[in-house]
Amino acid sequence: MKNKLEQIRKEAMEALGGLHDLGQLEEFRVKKLGKKGELTQVLRGMGSLPPEERPIIGQLANEIRNELEEGLRKRTAALKQAAMEKQLEAETIDVTIPGKRPVLGKLHPITKVLNELTEIFLGMGFDIAEGPEVEWDSYNFEALNIPKNHPARDVQDTFYINENMLLRTHTSPVQIRTMLRQKPPIKIICPGRVYRSDAVDATHSPIFHQIEGLVVDRNITMGDLKGVLDVFAKKVFGPGTRTKFRPHHFPFTEPSAEVDVTCAICHGEGCRICSHTGWIEILGAGMVHPKVLQYCGIDPEVYSGFAFGMGLDRITNLKYGIDDIRLLFENDIRFLKQF
Ligand code: PHE
């Protein structure tokens, strides 16, 4: 029996070195040390031994069990260590390889121009005001002296939400909101999205952007309006730029004007962009109508003001030489990448 045990020990210890994965090791453990394993099998025969030999054999069996268990533990640890080293080696990072540059986003051309224009007005002491895109009919029209059935409502083909609410057709209702909230002196610009149910083509989009300006105080004159817009035009289109006021009509300003700037492309010579006139219309403006001031609780005998509104999309197109407004809204990456 002793010989058998020694035999098991010898074979097992030799076999152990030849095992190369954890599965094999477990199989080995069951085969040698398990309930039906070789060692147990031999010990089953203990009953037939003379009593004085039993403790000796028992002790030997225990020794062998301990030895095998220890051997298994070491082998398992060695295999795990080797596996870990292999994995670490495979995952080595070469920190000297040049990195991949992440693709950076860019500002949309409208946003760039908006930021530029905003800076100019902030520099002249204007504050920024904002208003909702879903607006009351009364603020978008009535308060601006455009009553129901007024022909000017036709010009501004409107998306109605219901009888009293609409998508604002211009940023002018923000004038009303500001004057209802705040008494003069008022000096604000209001940038934002506006909506008109125009059919889409190269120069029309049902959604576009405006910047509104409003100044109300004592003794504000048309001269102040012209001064502000002249400085503005020179900053946006270059120092040689001139402005021209043409008489016009808006229900909410009196007198009203459309303002042209000398064509930034041909500097007034005449070219395709300015239809060979040398001038480009960029905004509407005028002195705030007394009725509008009155609606907002501002006494037109004491205060006067001017207002202007311009299309941001048009100015963006002029600045960058873009010939189709649709490009600004399609968000084609190949187009946007250029700015
Ligand atoms: N709200 C006018 C428009 O959308 C522009 C404008 C604003 C004109 C302020 C005069 C004064 O056409």
Side-chain angles (χ1 to χ4, degrees):
M1 196 159 212
K2 201 174 165 191
N3 287 346
K4 260 195 193 160
L5 286 174
E6 290 295 355
Q7 179 78 13
I8 290 175
R9 181 198 320 236
K10 192 163 163 265
E11 271 178 25
M13 292 313 280
E14 275 172 16
L16 205 49
L19 301 180
H20 291 294
D21 72 50
L22 298 174
Q24 285 177 333
L25 281 179
E26 176 59 12
E27 235 173 70
F28 177 85
R29 189 189 64 76
V30 172
K31 191 166 152 218
K32 301 293 173 190
L33 303 173
K35 272 195 190 123
K36 292 178 186 159
E38 289 173 16
L39 203 57
T40 322
Q41 220 73 47
V42 175
L43 291 178
R44 287 249 164 82
M46 284 258 273
S48 60
L49 290 176
E52 66 276 14
E53 279 187 32
R54 287 180 197 164
I56 300 167
I57 293 298
Q59 202 184 345
L60 179 61
N62 271 340
E63 245 171 56
I64 293 175
R65 173 177 294 278
N66 288 342
E67 204 173 309
L68 283 184
E69 277 172 354
E70 181 59 19
L72 268 169
R73 230 189 330 274
K74 282 193 180 145
R75 190 74 194 135
T76 308
L79 283 180
K80 279 190 176 159
Q81 177 73 20
M84 166 99 88
E85 270 163 22
K86 210 169 153 192
Q87 188 182 1
L88 282 178
E89 196 169 328
E91 288 176 359
T92 308
I93 294 169
D94 181 353
V95 292
T96 64
I97 292 175
K100 282 187 196 139
R101 224 172 244 289
V103 183
L104 283 185
K106 291 196 182 174
L107 293 179
H108 191 282
I110 289 185
T111 309
K112 290 180 88 157
V113 172
L114 173 61
N115 290 347
E116 186 187 328
L117 302 195
T118 307
E119 265 325 298
I120 294 172
F121 285 115
L122 288 178
M124 288 195 267
F126 284 75
D127 288 327
I128 297 174
E130 277 179 324
E133 290 171 25
V134 177
E135 185 55 281
W136 298 110
D137 178 284
S138 55
Y139 287 178
N140 193 86
F141 289 131
E142 309 273 345
L144 288 161
N145 197 27
I146 315 175
K148 295 235 181 325
N149 305 320
H150 190 287
R153 291 208 183 201
D154 276 355
V155 184
Q156 314 211 345
D157 283 302
T158 310
F159 290 114
Y160 277 93
I161 306 276
N162 59 38
E163 222 184 299
N164 302 316
M165 298 196 100
L166 41 75
L167 294 181
R168 65 179 178 194
T169 59
H170 50 179
T171 41
S172 301
V174 184
Q175 289 186 27
I176 304 300
R177 288 177 173 273
T178 305
M179 287 190 282
L180 286 173
R181 201 178 48 224
Q182 178 189 338
K183 294 309 150 202
I186 293 171
K187 199 172 178 187
I188 53 141
I189 54 160
C190 161
R193 267 187 218 115
V194 300
Y195 303 82
R196 288 182 202 176
S197 63
D198 281 328
V200 177
D201 64 26
T203 55
H204 293 87
S205 163
I207 168 171
F208 56 104
H209 304 78
Q210 287 188 333
I211 292 195
E212 189 89 5
L214 174 70
V215 175
V216 184
D217 203 348
R218 290 170 196 265
N219 305 318
I220 296 294
T221 68
M222 198 92 175
D224 297 315
L225 172 61
K226 191 146 181 26
V228 164
L229 293 181
D230 208 58
V231 169
F232 164 76
K234 286 186 164 56
K235 291 221 164 145
V236 179
F237 297 108
T241 308
R242 283 174 299 134
T243 52
K244 178 167 83 175
F245 278 47
R246 277 184 291 104
H248 196 72
H249 172 78
F250 296 107
F252 35 91
T253 46
E254 180 59 36
S256 305
E258 272 189 336
V259 180
D260 299 347
V261 293
T262 41
C263 178
I265 312 291
C266 64
H267 305 286
E269 299 283 305
C271 68
R272 194 177 56 83
I273 302 293
C274 58
S275 311
H276 306 283
T277 61
W279 295 94
I280 288 177
E281 184 238 309
I282 57 158
L283 55 84
M287 300 307 291
V288 181
H289 198 292
K291 277 193 182 171
V292 175
L293 292 175
Q294 236 153 17
Y295 181 98
C296 300
I298 294 174
D299 185 352
E301 298 296 329
V302 181
Y303 293 103
S304 56
F306 66 76
F308 56 86
M310 65 186 94
L312 201 50
D313 316 79
R314 187 162 158 70
I315 294 180
T316 303
N317 285 356
L318 282 174
K319 273 192 78 83
Y320 289 113
I322 299 166
D323 57 6
D324 193 326
I325 193 175
R326 286 170 288 199
L327 290 166
L328 295 176
F329 297 99
E330 282 166 357
N331 286 331
D332 185 328
I333 285 286
R334 292 166 301 179
F335 169 74
L336 294 175
K337 258 190 183 163
Q338 305 172 64
F339 301 93

